[in-house]
Amino acid sequence: MFRPLLISLLTLAALPVSAQEVYRFGDDAYMAGDNVTLSGDAVDDAFIAGNTVVISAPVEGSAHAGGRSVSVSGPVGNNVYAAGMNVNLAASVGGDAQLAGDTVLVAAPVSGDLRVAAQRVEITGSVGDSALVAAENILLTEVIAGDASFATDNISFGANARIDGTLYLYAEDVDAIDVPDHVVSADRIERLAADEFDGSASPEGGATRAPESNGGFLSWLGGKIGAILTLTVVASVVAYFAPGFLMGLRDRTLESPFRAIWMGFLSISALAGALFVLGATGYGILLAPFAILGAVLLGIAGYVIGTYLLGVGAVKLAGQPLPVTFLERAVAALVGAVSVTVLALIPVVGWPMVLAVTLAGAGALMIRWFAPGFYTEV
């Protein structure tokens, strides 16, 4: 999951930057700017963001690139992760390639798996393993050594095109797609409905969406119970090690619940929004992932804290005293976990209510740590 997140960070961080910035740490290269070109000596890993991105230097490890136009013309020893309006892979890749854009051109050999999401894809370089491609239009002129999963309504093949494994075709009218025998024999073609395609699946063995469990309602209920128990355990552990701290958070939340929600909103928004400020410095791109990670961790902490505080409130509302023993705290955590799970199931208003609980927990934490104030005299 980190790779798509990193590509998104690189792409967004490039938007406010107008001048090329270069930073090298060890054998890795970090660059951000308007028109960015990585050239010269080989690097280990490359992390590049900009409006126009060109990687012409050899990359011995993996290349990560994001921008409006991305071109990889230097050989990459390991994997390539690239996203942009136009992506052109014009040099050999020793590992896998994961590409996304409007137009994606794969004009060089990829030794491992190929995964592409685009409007138009041209595969004119060989693929050493399997390929998973989702696009409106696909052109294949070379060899795919493994399986191929294509989700498309328009595909064409060159004279040298060949798929050595099984071809999994996903389309609205899959029977209307003609596949020549020289590409793959009819007995190695599986034709499937478009809605069965799963872009997150492994390229090998097809990308068919896993069927729903036969458990039906029981399976769904089991999943909910598992989530409740997990949340209960986490909240109980936190309450065990920091009971006084949580009670302090409860007091601050009760003093001004809307202030807690507001502070939670501001804190998470500030961490997530720091991405753009850090990206504007060029060098700050190194810290951008930590800002997003901080926002995610604060959200998780807020969810756990808010759940426990909700459970304590529900227990007290039922006429019980505030929890003192570990068992009482565990019961409060269980009540809170059940409460947020039930809230989430309420149509329309349920999810905003769970979000409010999360923001209140995060805000209470920020108020306890930093004691921010508004309209105060200096």
Side-chain angles (χ1 to χ4, degrees):
M1 294 179 66
F2 174 73
R3 299 296 186 178
L5 173 62
L6 180 57
I7 289 176
S8 300
L9 292 175
L10 289 168
T11 305
L12 292 172
L15 297 179
V17 184
S18 59
Q20 175 170 309
E21 299 286 349
V22 183
Y23 179 75
R24 288 179 181 264
F25 182 77
D27 294 327
D28 298 335
Y30 301 83
M31 302 178 68
D34 187 9
N35 299 309
V36 185
T37 299
L38 175 63
S39 58
D41 297 334
V43 300
D44 186 8
D45 293 327
F47 301 84
I48 317 295
N51 180 41
T52 300
V53 173
V54 176
I55 301 178
S56 58
V59 178
E60 296 174 349
S62 296
H64 310 74
R68 182 184 59 81
S69 176
V70 177
S71 176
V72 180
S73 57
V76 178
N78 201 351
N79 302 326
V80 172
Y81 305 90
M85 191 70 174
N86 299 301
V87 177
N88 181 16
L89 185 60
S92 61
V93 177
D96 301 335
Q98 298 193 31
L99 315 172
D102 180 73
T103 299
V104 174
L105 307 178
V106 183
V110 175
S111 298
D113 293 328
L114 173 67
R115 188 191 298 271
V116 184
Q119 195 278 332
R120 180 171 69 92
V121 176
E122 294 184 6
I123 305 174
T124 58
S126 61
V127 178
D129 207 331
S130 299
L132 189 154
V133 181
E136 186 71 22
N137 299 283
I138 299 175
L139 169 65
L140 175 65
T141 65
E142 278 295 332
V143 177
I144 296 177
D147 296 336
S149 295
F150 292 156
T152 183
D153 287 322
N154 185 16
I155 184 170
S156 55
F157 302 94
N160 297 323
R162 192 177 78 244
I163 298 172
D164 291 339
T166 301
L167 171 59
Y168 299 87
L169 273 178
Y170 302 83
E172 295 296 336
D173 186 5
V174 69
D175 293 326
I177 297 178
D178 180 49
V179 181
D181 289 336
H182 76 269
V183 176
V184 58
S185 58
D187 62 322
R188 288 190 287 116
I189 300 177
E190 292 195 19
R191 299 176 183 269
L192 303 155
D195 57 6
E196 294 186 63
F197 180 77
D198 182 4
S200 64
S202 169
E204 298 182 2
T208 304
R209 191 180 304 278
E212 294 290 336
S213 171
N214 292 330
F217 174 76
L218 292 179
S219 177
W220 173 86
L221 182 61
K224 293 298 180 184
I225 293 175
I228 289 172
L229 293 178
T230 300
L231 183 55
T232 299
V233 170
V234 174
S236 298
V237 170
V238 174
Y240 175 77
F241 286 103
F245 184 78
L246 286 179
M247 286 299 99
L249 296 183
R250 175 182 177 273
D251 293 340
R252 280 164 174 75
T253 303
L254 290 178
E255 287 174 3
S256 181
F258 291 106
R259 181 190 180 211
I261 294 174
W262 175 239
M263 285 306 307
F265 174 79
L266 285 181
S267 300
I268 295 177
S269 298
L271 285 170
L275 166 67
F276 297 97
V277 178
L278 293 172
T281 68
Y283 298 114
I285 192 174
L286 296 172
L287 300 177
F290 296 100
I292 294 298
L293 179 61
V296 172
L297 291 178
L298 180 57
I300 294 174
Y303 182 61
V304 174
I305 292 171
T307 296
Y308 180 75
L309 297 184
L310 179 63
V312 172
V315 168
K316 196 169 187 307
L317 190 63
Q320 299 298 315
L322 291 176
V324 176
T325 66
F326 175 72
L327 180 59
E328 291 173 343
R329 296 182 185 118
V331 170
L334 176 60
V335 172
V338 172
S339 298
V340 295
T341 302
V342 172
L343 282 177
L345 297 176
I346 301 175
V348 183
V349 299
W351 177 241
M353 294 172 68
V354 174
L355 180 60
V357 170
T358 301
L359 294 178
L365 187 62
M366 291 295 101
I367 293 171
R368 177 66 184 270
W369 278 349
F370 302 107
F374 295 97
Y375 303 105
T376 57
E377 295 183 1
V378 179

